[in-house]
């Protein structure tokens, strides 16, 4: 990639919104033109009648990315699932891919133990119907377990408006159902995988498996939980610079 400032298109995770990236974007602004995007039902966006629909969301993302002229697409957690699917389906539209604590398959399968159990997602879905804010608190606690720096950064998110429960339920269903492993293949642009070593949602072994399936990709492990861009912003920024800039 040239030394011109690349465009960075950021996708947030489940129950979050694009402003989760705001502190980090301030640090990245000198190197990247940053644009973040809210999933349907999140960040004040209405949840459409079809909910958080996989195909509709990918088509909307296709249009947004196409308008940016081959950006680097960055996805965190559920946002990474969308980013990876976008890269696999429309590789000609991207100039790079960054996956932060994400996975091609978020739920355990017989041949994929490096994930959440289906019962854990069932519990989140059941509790969401009773008390959405309590579920988000518990999910945030899980994300930041063993990572006090990220916990402090995420504390403000507790006060944000809760995303639409219909779209939250759809997001859990996508995490349960989607398995992109059969589609994985080398991609024609730089791919960076950032992974917290203490992540309780996406184990580091899942990131290693993902790297091996995306031949030529780069994996960087960080002493962090599920949100290393909050707890270790400079290390994450430097990883982006070294991947998408060259002399």
């Amino acid at each position: 990639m040239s030394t011109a400032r690349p465009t960075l298109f950021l996708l947030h995770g489940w129950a979050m919104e694009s402003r989760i990236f705001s502190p980090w974007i301030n640090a990245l602004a000198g190197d990247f033109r940053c644009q973040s995007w809210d999933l349907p039902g999140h960040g004040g966006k209405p949840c459409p009648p079809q909910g958080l629909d996989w195909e509709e969301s990918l088509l909307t993302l296709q249009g947004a990315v196409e308008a940016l002229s081959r950006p680097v697409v960055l996805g965190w957690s559920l946002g990474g699932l969308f980013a990876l699917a976008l890269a696999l389906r429309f590789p000609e539209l991207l100039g790079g891919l960054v996956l932060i604590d994400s996975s091609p398959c978020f739920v355990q399968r017989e041949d994929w133990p490096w994930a959440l159990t289906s019962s854990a997602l069932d519990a989140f879905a059941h509790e969401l119907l009773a008390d959405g804010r309590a579920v988000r608190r518990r999910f945030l606690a899980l994300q930041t377990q063993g990572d006090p720096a990220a916990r402090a950064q995420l504390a403000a998110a507790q006060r944000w408006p809760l995303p639409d429960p219909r779209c939250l339920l759809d997001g859990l269903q996508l995490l349960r159902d989607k398995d992109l492993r059969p589609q994985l293949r080398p991609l024609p642009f730089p791919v960076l995988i950032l992974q917290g070593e203490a992540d309780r949602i996406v184990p580091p072994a899942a990131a290693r498996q993902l790297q091996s399936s995306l031949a030529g990709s780069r994996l960087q492990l960080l002493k962090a939980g599920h949100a290393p861009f909050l707890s270790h912003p400079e290390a994450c920024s430097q990883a982006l610079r070294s991947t998408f800039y060259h002399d």
Side-chain angles (χ1 to χ4, degrees), residues 23-218:
W24 190 33
I25 283 175
N26 292 335
L28 288 170
D31 299 299
F32 295 88
R33 296 186 298 270
C34 298
Q35 179 172 327
S36 52
W37 189 83
D38 283 304
L39 293 170
H42 298 67
K45 273 188 182 177
C47 188
Q50 69 272 25
L52 179 54
D53 180 77
W54 178 254
E55 289 298 326
E56 188 65 30
S57 296
L58 282 179
L59 290 175
T60 302
L61 281 169
Q62 176 194 6
V65 168
E66 196 165 15
L68 294 175
S69 184
R70 301 191 71 245
V72 176
V73 175
L74 180 152
W76 169 48
S77 197
L78 174 61
L81 192 67
F82 279 107
L84 180 58
L86 190 71
L88 293 167
R89 189 177 298 190
F90 307 109
E92 71 282 359
L93 299 182
L94 277 66
L97 177 66
V98 183
L99 300 172
I100 302 181
D101 288 77
S102 192
S103 174
C105 182
F106 276 83
V107 170
Q108 291 180 7
R109 307 289 203 264
E110 186 175 340
D111 60 343
W112 185 258
W114 311 288
L116 293 169
T117 63
S118 59
S119 60
L121 282 186
D122 287 344
F124 278 124
H126 180 75
E127 294 168 20
L128 184 61
L129 297 174
D131 190 342
R133 290 191 177 277
V135 170
R136 182 164 66 175
R137 282 195 301 272
R138 191 160 76 85
F139 188 65
L140 290 176
L142 182 62
Q143 291 185 46
T144 58
Q145 190 167 340
D147 193 346
R151 188 180 307 120
Q153 289 287 332
L154 274 175
Q158 300 282 12
R159 300 187 292 272
W160 297 348
L162 188 71
D164 189 296
R166 291 185 302 123
C167 277
L168 286 177
L169 283 171
D170 289 341
L172 289 176
Q173 193 66 40
L174 292 178
L175 290 172
R176 168 193 284 280
D177 292 346
K178 293 301 173 184
D179 184 353
L180 301 181
R181 290 178 298 155
Q183 304 172 41
L184 295 177
R185 63 184 186 277
L187 292 166
F189 40 69
V191 177
L192 172 64
I193 302 167
L194 296 174
Q195 174 68 40
E197 292 180 329
D199 192 347
R200 300 298 298 273
I201 296 171
V202 177
R208 294 187 183 96
Q209 293 293 321
L210 178 60
Q211 180 196 26
S212 68
S213 297
L214 296 173
S217 62
R218 173 189 174 195

